[in-house]
Amino acid sequence: VIYIKLIGCFNREGVMAFATEVQAELAAFAPNTIEFAAINLADFELATADSLAVAKEYFHAVKSRGYKRVDYIQPSLIAKNLLEHIWRGSDMSVHF
């Protein structure tokens, strides 16, 4: 299980930096050993429109890395709406 707590807002560069940092951290683990993600959104504020395409690309790729389920903790209504849009068509088990 990977636990991530997002704080603040993200633009395109922020999402790209996040993806790079997570990939670097996960490189220490054997491939496909992380199957679940819990993402705490209690302190998440917003994502810019230009970051959504980058986020969608990153999120859709987690299934190929062995993830089976993603759980979001305390998403705002706006964040939930954005995330439902991003995950649409990914065939990933996502829960709020």
Side-chain angles (χ1 to χ4, degrees):
V1 176
I2 184 172
Y3 174 80
I4 298 169
K5 182 173 183 177
L6 295 178
I7 299 172
C9 27
F10 289 82
N11 60 11
R12 184 178 189 278
E13 292 78 13
V15 172
M16 290 170 51
F18 165 79
T20 299
E21 185 176 333
V22 169
Q23 289 172 349
E25 292 286 329
L26 296 180
F29 299 95
N32 298 317
T33 56
I34 297 186
E35 297 180 344
F36 305 97
I39 303 172
N40 187 336
L41 297 176
D43 297 318
F44 173 72
E45 294 173 16
L46 194 58
T48 60
D50 67 341
S51 68
L52 297 181
V54 176
K56 186 172 187 170
E57 181 181 323
Y58 173 78
F59 289 160
H60 282 232
V62 299
K63 189 165 188 171
S64 68
R65 293 193 291 272
Y67 288 50
K68 295 180 179 173
R69 178 178 168 145
V70 177
D71 289 282
Y72 288 99
I73 302 165
Q74 292 187 319
S76 69
L77 290 175
I78 294 170
K80 183 179 180 199
N81 187 346
L82 288 172
L83 290 164
E84 286 173 338
H85 175 75
I86 288 171
W87 282 108
R88 191 171 294 131
S90 70
D91 197 32
M92 173 62 74
S93 180
V94 177
H95 301 268
F96 298 93

